[in-house]
Amino acid sequence: MGTLVEPALLLLLWQSVWALDVPLEIRQPPTIMKQSMKDHIVDPKDAMVVECEAKGNPHPIFSWRRNGKYFNVARDPQVSMRRRSGTLDIYPWNNPEQYEAEYQCIASNEYGSAYSNKIRLRLYRAPVWPREVLEPVVVSAGLPLVLSCDPPPGPPKPETYWMSSCSYARPFNWPVQTAFPTMQPVRPDRRVSMGVNGDLYFSNVLFNDSAADYCCNARFPYKNVIQQKMPVVVKVLTTRTVAEAAPTWLSPTGSSSSILVLQGEELLLECIAAGVPTPRIAWTKNGDDLVASPGIKLKNFNKMIQIQKASFDDVGEYTCTATNKIGYIQHTITVRVKAAPFWLEKPTDLVLAPEENGRLLCQSDGAPRPTVSWFINGEPIEVATPQPNRQVSGDTLTLSTVTAANTAVYQCNVSNEFGYLMANAFVNVLHATPRILGARNEFIKVIEGSRPLLDCRYFGSPVPELRWSKYGQGNLEGNRFKTHRNGTLEIKQIRVEDQGTYLCVVSNVAGRDESQVRIEVKEPTLIVTRPQSMKVIRGSDVRFECGVKADVTTPVTTTWMKDKNHATIGWRISLDESNLVITNVNRGDEGNYTCVIKSEMEQKSASARLMVMDRPDPPTKLELSDPYERSVRLRWVPGESNHNPITEYLVQYDDDDWLPGKWRNLSTYPGNLNSVILHLTPFTYYEFRVIAINEIGMSRPSRPSTRFQSSGAPPDVIPKNVKGVGTWRNNMEISWEPLTYRQWNGPHLKYLVWWKRRDSREEWKNATTKWLKYYIYDADTFTPYDIKVQAVNDFGLGPESPVVIGYSGEDRPLTAPLNLRVSDIESTQVTLHWDSVTRGSMMGELKEYKAYYWRDSSQLRWLRVNRGMKSKAFPDNDPEPSGVLTGLVPYSNYKLYIVVANNRYEGPPSNNIVFSTPEGVPSAPRSFRIQQRHLDSIYVDWDLPAEPNGVITGYSLKYQTVNATRGEELRVEELTPNVTSFSVRRFDRYTRYRFSVAAQTRIGTGEWHTEESPHYTTESTFTATHLRSGPGGHHHSGVVHRDHVCRSSHGAHPTHSLLHQEEPRGEIPSAGKKRYFFGASG
């Protein structure tokens, strides 16, 4: 076949041909204006419409053919034709299938018949997928898998895609602790592919592929209906290791194939391979590397070539190569391109005067080259009435010296095996007086320097002559004036002196017509200050300036546009004369801003771009690939940097199955990367997200990646804090800290426990347990053992812990410490000494010595004591052990014995010894009381100290007035041991005293007790009321005398003291007038 000719405009060579639109008031043959598509799909549930609209003068009459035969519309009760139209309305309430046929519309009047394309009417049928129950697909990890789709065929052909987690039931192996899954699209990657045929391909399956079920979905574009196939569950059988495998083809199969595509259609070439590791795909064309271009795109991770519109340049042999580290394979696809017919030039309507000549061109091309057929009013030209002035030569029909008999509608049909094209063109032979079409006597204003077009559309037959002039004088042609074929006068670079009235005259042998246009020339509008593009940080203020110069007689308006829409004026965006001001800019303000200056004649504009620097947009389309037990590759599509370069990416992860949403930082990566290897913990579910960072800040987090589980591995962590401790005399408990769930690295974690008697030649013994303790029985008492523990899971053994020494159980010590003795006896402490116990009698580890002691009596025979036993432990840290007992009571008799202890038991007691502590200083006197027996004296008394700590030799009493104004010196009274009271005469009734008393032994003065005398009233008696409620909530009341008592007991309960309130006579009790004092109830 020869070279195809590209479509081009071929001009008619004959000057007498008239090809302009014919006014409808002129008699003319029919012209088809609107028709349904050749392949017309309708829904039988609705009214089925087959369109056919035409014009002509007289108005056309419509008829139809169905499957090549006359279709009597009037006799079919389910079909009607619209008035003054050929459009069919079919209401198929009964047997709609009978209307699936090929229809052709015919529009006729007395001058000819125009034919529509042949319209193939097809019924849309609702797609139905069989409601089958698909058995689970069981496959071993590492093997390839193909899930078939097989959607309903249509019409039209559906679009397919795959989803996961489709069923309402939880998949059989979905972790219980994970949130209920939602339906998600299956995202293709190098390992997972959706084929052109709709099938889902896995180059090799991973355990994570069984985390959800899968379902194929088909979208039918006619009704935008989506149908879902029944879900299929994939169960992946895990193994300890996945065997590596060389590539094999999943689609297409074999080593070669071929494909035929029509010119202009989409061409898809696909190669999908299986293998472990996942193979990589590379392409060549005719032996040369294939390079992506605007017309050729490599998609689906190089597994598909997409050519949007195929052309003959795409013919050739395409070879795809699948490679991994085990090997490679190749497949060659031979591409052939054919072409359905396409127009180079369609025939156009002709209006001819009698005796003129004309021709119709029907030029097309295709592969194979189309055949051309001519028809007259729908009848093949070969059988039509012969006309001697009509000749057909291939794609050209010639008419010479035409007459009215040549008026008709001519059809040209071009076809090959891939399709056909048909065009109608009428020839109208008539005489017509010239006429000017459209508006007349116009007045227009133009801008100096512009290129105005003065319209003068006209019609006439024969073709009228056209002449333009100014003020009716001369002929405007050449230089800056040009007359177009449709009658329009073009004036280039119009000047002020070109103002005036222009006259258009058309004429032929049948007459003439004219119209005039008056022009006024104005100065141009100029933008003298143009807005400047800016790049600012979010939150800044921006001002775009726009200065204008215009004709003084021409009003102008200024408006601002943002990205082709009017800028919204508000509190942040305002106008300052013709300037635009934006405060506190944000991301939404970014775009192109255009200042539009508009007058009634012209419009000028000037644009500037505002770029707002901000935090980056979050990355998108996170994709995981190349999974291994401790790593996975993460890819993403970077988000917009928002005019500030991305400096780094932060990858975060969530591995918490129980409380998802706790994101933690994993690592940061340079901003020029979008594919990184992540280092992971084995056998852990992960989700990842990425945050982009630039100088402005951090982006929002990306959407999480798909949930991913890393492969298993032996444990990495050594069990910590391994100990061996006996819990009974003949056993040993071996314990350790458990590995956290994150440290398991695989399922079914257990612990392998090793032990052997220390310093012996016996072999290591071991046992496996899932608990955190293991017991060894039948061991000798307190025997050392070497111990080690290691973790183990289904993938293997972890590292061993360091060997530690453990001991079997302890028994009761056999002997007591000997030669217990005391020294350095003081009033409150004593030093103990004893002989060490031999290690052999300890029956365990010597933990401590413990002394038991108690106060047997006081050296004051009349004083009762507490004989409660106390103890104190002393560590074994000296070859000559000793210890100090503190906290003893002076002048007391003590008893004491000592025992030795290991970690479990105390041994037998030593012999008891007795010792006495010397005198010390006494404690404070008890029951110290201050009494007022008369207005001019104060009486104080007290009792013996609770702990005399020796023989009391006397008392020391100190007292001094409290009143600040007197400043009396401190007085001291030394009293004999049998005196326990004292009386002081007061200066006046208001004087208060501070008393301090202490007991004495021969060792010294003991602890002081201090009290102050209270306030006293001047009345002899008065009424007082308890402020505390008595039993049952009732208040007590009584009379209080001057002889008050304030009694304090050091270390004992005081006498009952009551808080009373005095209310002065003749006054109403109120806040601020209450006075409080202490007194004895009376």
Side-chain angles (χ1 to χ4, degrees):
M1 188 187 75
T3 303
L4 291 182
V5 179
E6 295 296 333
L9 178 63
L10 301 180
L11 297 179
L12 295 177
L13 301 179
W14 291 15
Q15 296 299 318
S16 57
V17 172
W18 180 244
L20 294 181
D21 291 337
V22 183
L24 195 55
E25 58 266 24
I26 302 296
R27 63 179 180 82
Q28 56 187 286
T31 301
I32 299 290
M33 304 300 295
K34 187 178 183 182
Q35 57 183 311
S36 294
M37 299 179 63
K38 292 180 182 179
D39 191 11
H40 188 40
I41 300 174
V42 295
D43 190 345
K45 296 179 181 179
D46 303 326
M48 300 186 297
V49 178
V50 186
E51 291 184 313
C52 181
E53 304 286 346
K55 68 175 183 176
N57 189 358
H59 191 74
I61 297 172
F62 296 90
S63 62
W64 284 88
R65 288 181 181 177
R66 184 166 70 175
N67 294 332
K69 298 180 180 179
Y70 173 70
F71 178 37
N72 192 339
V73 176
R75 298 188 62 179
D76 191 327
Q78 298 184 128
V79 183
S80 64
M81 190 185 301
R82 296 179 184 176
R83 184 174 177 272
R84 294 181 64 82
S85 168
T87 298
L88 295 180
D89 291 319
I90 304 174
Y91 301 93
W93 59 79
N94 182 30
N95 189 21
E97 288 77 11
Q98 64 178 312
Y99 296 102
E100 281 194 301
E102 186 178 73
Y103 294 82
Q104 189 171 32
C105 174
I106 305 168
S108 305
N109 65 13
E110 60 184 278
Y111 299 108
S113 298
Y115 281 68
S116 72
N117 291 320
K118 292 180 179 179
I119 302 168
R120 182 187 176 196
L121 182 67
R122 294 196 293 164
L123 299 184
Y124 166 77
R125 292 174 175 84
V128 177
W129 237 312
R131 302 295 292 180
E132 57 188 342
V133 178
L134 301 178
E135 294 296 327
V137 177
V138 181
V139 60
S140 296
L143 295 181
L145 175 63
V146 180
L147 301 179
S148 61
C149 182
D150 300 325
K157 182 181 177 182
E159 304 168 4
T160 57
Y161 57 94
W162 283 82
M163 305 289 286
S164 61
S165 302
C166 310
S167 61
Y168 293 103
R170 185 185 298 274
F172 72 96
N173 61 346
W174 193 269
V176 174
Q177 68 269 25
T178 304
F180 189 77
T182 56
M183 186 180 289
Q184 296 288 337
V186 175
R187 296 183 179 178
D189 54 27
R190 281 202 315 111
R191 188 179 61 87
V192 181
S193 312
M194 280 182 272
V196 174
N197 63 353
D199 293 347
L200 184 63
Y201 295 87
F202 294 82
S203 296
N204 51 75
V205 295
L206 304 175
F207 177 76
N208 204 48
D209 295 329
S210 62
D213 53 14
Y214 299 89
C215 59
C216 182
N217 295 262
R219 177 181 173 273
F220 295 85
Y222 177 74
K223 285 283 188 177
N224 202 23
V225 172
I226 297 177
Q227 285 283 332
Q228 177 180 305
K229 191 175 183 179
M230 291 297 290
V232 59
V233 173
V234 176
K235 183 177 181 181
V236 179
L237 303 178
T238 58
T239 57
R240 289 197 175 185
T241 58
V242 175
E244 295 180 335
T248 57
W249 290 120
L250 296 177
S251 175
T253 57
S255 61
S256 63
S257 59
S258 64
I259 187 170
L260 173 66
V261 64
L262 295 181
Q263 183 185 27
E265 291 185 351
E266 183 181 49
L267 172 61
L268 298 176
L269 304 179
E270 178 180 66
C271 280
I272 301 175
V276 179
T278 303
R280 294 183 179 272
I281 305 296
W283 291 86
T284 61
K285 179 184 178 183
N286 297 331
D288 298 325
D289 290 340
L290 186 68
V291 180
S293 65
I296 301 177
K297 295 181 180 179
L298 292 173
K299 305 184 75 174
N300 197 10
F301 300 87
N302 267 26
K303 288 177 281 190
M304 177 188 291
I305 295 177
Q306 180 190 41
I307 301 175
Q308 291 282 3
K309 293 183 178 181
S311 67
F312 289 95
D313 294 335
D314 300 318
V315 172
E317 292 188 347
Y318 295 78
T319 301
C320 56
T321 304
T323 308
N324 66 10
K325 64 180 181 179
I326 306 300
Y328 74 95
I329 53 173
Q330 291 184 329
H331 184 94
T332 300
I333 304 174
T334 302
V335 174
R336 297 179 296 128
V337 179
K338 298 294 182 180
F342 57 88
W343 290 117
L344 297 178
E345 182 175 354
K346 291 173 62 174
T348 56
D349 298 334
L350 294 181
V351 177
L352 301 175
E355 304 301 322
E356 286 188 323
N357 302 324
R359 67 177 179 178
L360 298 175
L361 293 178
C362 182
Q363 294 184 340
S364 65
D365 204 350
R369 192 174 296 281
T371 57
V372 181
S373 301
W374 287 94
F375 300 82
I376 300 177
N377 296 326
E379 185 179 13
I381 201 166
E382 294 81 8
V383 300
T385 302
Q387 292 179 339
N389 64 344
R390 181 184 68 214
Q391 291 183 357
V392 175
S393 176
D395 57 9
T396 304
L397 187 149
T398 305
L399 298 172
S400 306
T401 316
V402 297
T403 65
N406 296 120
T407 297
V409 180
Y410 296 80
Q411 287 86 28
C412 170
N413 184 294
V414 294
S415 62
N416 64 14
E417 60 186 286
F418 301 109
Y420 78 94
L421 295 173
M422 191 188 76
N424 292 279
F426 67 70
V427 175
N428 196 8
V429 181
L430 54 81
H431 267 294
T433 303
R435 68 184 68 186
I436 293 177
L437 308 176
R440 293 171 177 265
N441 302 325
E442 291 183 290
F443 170 67
I444 61 176
K445 297 178 181 180
V446 298
I447 300 298
E448 182 182 3
S450 65
R451 188 175 61 113
L453 299 174
L454 310 185
D455 289 335
C456 186
R457 293 177 56 249
Y458 63 97
F459 177 78
S461 182
V463 179
E465 292 183 1
L466 173 73
R467 184 173 68 88
W468 278 95
S469 63
K470 185 177 182 182
Y471 299 116
Q473 298 176 0
N475 186 16
L476 297 176
E477 191 62 42
N479 296 329
R480 293 183 297 107
F481 299 91
K482 179 181 178 181
T483 303
H484 294 269
R485 290 191 60 205
N486 63 356
T488 299
L489 176 65
E490 177 184 351
I491 306 175
K492 300 176 182 178
Q493 295 293 322
I494 194 168
R495 305 167 182 167
V496 176
E497 56 266 25
D498 292 330
Q499 285 189 146
T501 301
Y502 292 79
L503 184 65
C504 170
V505 178
V506 293
S507 61
N508 65 8
V509 295
R512 70 188 296 276
D513 196 7
E514 66 179 36
S515 177
Q516 66 181 18
V517 179
R518 187 163 66 91
I519 295 179
E520 188 174 296
V521 181
K522 300 287 188 179
E523 291 183 13
T525 301
L526 301 176
I527 299 178
V528 294
T529 305
R530 305 178 69 85
Q532 302 297 314
S533 295
M534 285 181 275
K535 185 176 180 181
V536 299
I537 297 177
R538 184 183 63 174
S540 305
D541 295 341
V542 170
R543 179 185 178 90
F544 287 115
E545 296 188 349
C546 186
V548 182
K549 177 184 178 183
D551 192 298
V552 294
T553 63
T554 304
V556 297
T557 58
T558 303
T559 57
W560 282 89
M561 308 289 290
K562 178 180 180 291
D563 295 331
K564 299 182 180 180
N565 296 314
H566 284 282
T568 303
I569 305 301
W571 67 272
R572 274 195 323 107
I573 303 177
S574 59
L575 287 177
D576 180 9
E577 296 182 349
S578 60
N579 305 316
L580 184 69
V581 178
I582 307 174
T583 59
N584 191 24
V585 297
N586 55 44
R587 286 273 305 283
D589 297 325
E590 184 172 303
N592 289 315
Y593 286 83
T594 303
C595 168
V596 180
I597 308 301
K598 191 173 184 180
S599 68
E600 59 178 326
M601 294 164 291
E602 66 173 338
Q603 178 175 298
K604 293 288 182 70
S605 63
S607 298
R609 179 160 185 80
L610 176 61
M611 292 184 290
V612 180
M613 295 186 293
D614 198 359
R615 301 181 302 168
D617 289 342
T620 59
K621 298 181 180 179
L622 270 64
E623 173 192 313
L624 298 173
S625 62
D626 303 337
Y628 294 97
E629 60 189 27
R630 299 177 189 274
S631 67
V632 71
R633 179 173 291 277
L634 174 64
R635 291 185 175 88
W636 61 86
V637 176
E640 290 292 333
S641 65
N642 295 324
H643 315 297
N644 193 284
I646 296 174
T647 56
E648 63 180 356
Y649 289 99
L650 171 63
V651 178
Q652 295 182 321
Y653 70 97
D654 176 13
D655 61 354
D656 197 326
D657 296 334
W658 298 98
L659 294 172
K662 291 186 175 180
W663 293 96
R664 286 172 279 189
N665 295 341
L666 180 62
S667 185
T668 57
Y669 300 93
N672 59 347
L673 297 180
N674 69 329
S675 176
V676 296
I677 298 292
L678 306 180
H679 299 285
L680 311 176
T681 300
F683 200 67
T684 303
Y685 281 101
Y686 284 99
E687 280 184 316
F688 301 99
R689 69 183 188 183
V690 184
I691 297 173
I693 304 172
N694 64 11
E695 292 180 353
I696 308 299
M698 302 172 67
S699 72
R700 289 178 291 104
S702 68
R703 289 176 177 266
S705 67
T706 55
R707 197 164 181 266
F708 162 79
Q709 184 184 33
S710 54
S711 301
D716 300 319
V717 177
I718 298 172
K720 297 179 181 179
N721 199 20
V722 178
K723 295 185 294 186
V725 178
T727 60
W728 193 242
R729 65 184 180 183
N730 63 345
N731 78 348
M732 181 173 64
E733 176 191 88
I734 303 175
S735 62
W736 56 90
E737 291 183 4
L739 270 64
T740 65
Y741 180 75
R742 300 287 176 233
Q743 298 169 340
W744 284 21
N745 288 3
H748 307 125
L749 182 78
K750 297 179 181 179
Y751 298 94
L752 185 58
V753 183
W754 300 83
W755 73 92
K756 73 179 181 69
R757 195 185 302 269
R758 186 169 180 80
D759 299 329
S760 69
R761 296 184 179 180
E762 66 181 24
E763 297 292 329
W764 283 91
K765 299 177 183 179
N766 66 75
T768 303
T769 179
K770 63 181 179 180
W771 310 111
L772 302 179
K773 294 179 181 179
Y774 186 78
Y775 290 89
I776 299 173
Y777 295 98
D778 299 326
D780 294 336
T781 302
F782 201 64
T783 302
Y785 283 84
D786 288 338
I787 305 169
K788 59 183 178 180
V789 181
Q790 64 187 133
V792 58
N793 62 19
D794 286 357
F795 290 90
L797 294 169
E800 295 179 353
S801 70
V803 175
V804 299
I805 301 174
Y807 287 85
S808 56
E810 298 175 321
D811 205 349
R812 194 177 301 279
L814 300 177
T815 61
L818 301 176
N819 195 18
L820 177 63
R821 56 200 182 277
V822 297
S823 66
D824 300 330
I825 301 175
E826 300 179 16
S827 61
T828 58
Q829 68 178 36
V830 66
T831 302
L832 309 182
H833 303 272
W834 63 92
D835 294 342
S836 297
V837 176
T838 61
R839 298 287 178 179
S841 65
M842 281 302 304
M843 305 302 289
E845 179 185 8
L846 198 162
K847 178 183 177 183
E848 62 189 9
Y849 293 94
K850 184 177 287 188
Y852 288 91
Y853 62 97
W854 63 97
R855 185 183 181 191
D856 189 56
S857 63
S858 172
Q859 296 185 43
L860 299 172
R861 295 183 179 181
W862 52 267
L863 184 64
R864 293 179 177 271
V865 299
N866 181 2
R867 296 187 178 185
M869 182 176 289
K870 298 180 182 180
S871 65
K872 184 173 182 180
F874 303 100
D876 177 39
N877 54 9
D878 197 328
E880 296 183 0
S882 63
V884 177
L885 286 181
T886 58
L888 304 180
V889 179
Y891 211 57
S892 299
N893 301 315
Y894 279 88
K895 290 184 177 181
L896 165 73
Y897 69 84
I898 193 167
V899 299
V900 67
N902 57 28
N903 290 308
R904 289 185 53 82
Y905 298 103
E906 293 181 356
S910 69
N911 58 303
N912 286 4
I913 65 170
V914 177
F915 66 92
S916 298
T917 57
E919 281 189 286
V921 295
S923 63
R926 293 180 299 166
S927 303
F928 187 80
R929 293 168 294 181
I930 302 175
Q931 301 180 58
Q932 179 181 350
R933 294 182 177 177
H934 303 283
L935 291 177
D936 57 353
S937 65
I938 294 177
Y939 177 82
V940 297
D941 64 352
W942 56 89
D943 290 343
L944 280 171
E947 290 293 347
N949 293 340
V951 178
I952 300 298
T953 59
Y955 295 95
S956 180
L957 177 67
K958 298 186 291 186
Y959 62 95
Q960 185 182 24
T961 58
V962 178
N963 304 59
T965 56
R966 295 195 176 274
E968 184 178 325
E969 64 180 10
L970 177 68
R971 299 188 181 187
V972 180
E973 299 288 343
E974 299 294 338
L975 307 175
T976 59
N978 59 343
V979 176
T980 58
S981 63
F982 190 77
S983 180
V984 178
R985 180 171 297 277
R986 296 195 301 178
F987 295 101
D988 55 49
R989 68 185 65 179
Y990 302 109
T991 302
R992 296 178 58 210
Y993 286 87
R994 179 182 295 109
F995 294 93
S996 298
V997 64
Q1000 297 172 339
T1001 64
R1002 66 181 183 85
I1003 302 301
T1005 302
E1007 182 181 353
W1008 291 89
H1009 184 92
T1010 302
E1011 288 286 347
E1012 292 183 3
S1013 62
H1015 293 281
Y1016 293 96
T1017 63
T1018 58
E1019 298 292 333
S1020 60
T1021 61
F1022 61 90
T1023 301
T1025 304
H1026 264 305
L1027 294 184
R1028 293 183 182 176
S1029 297
H1034 300 291
H1035 293 289
H1036 296 283
S1037 62
V1039 177
V1040 179
H1041 299 274
R1042 291 182 180 175
D1043 294 335
H1044 301 289
V1045 176
C1046 178
R1047 187 165 188 167
S1048 173
S1049 174
H1050 184 76
H1053 293 288
T1055 58
H1056 295 287
S1057 61
L1058 304 174
L1059 179 64
H1060 297 281
Q1061 172 183 336
E1062 177 191 20
E1063 297 180 1
R1065 299 177 183 177
E1067 292 183 319
I1068 299 174
S1070 61
K1073 294 185 178 181
K1074 297 179 181 179
R1075 291 183 293 166
Y1076 297 93
F1077 59 90
F1078 289 91
S1081 60

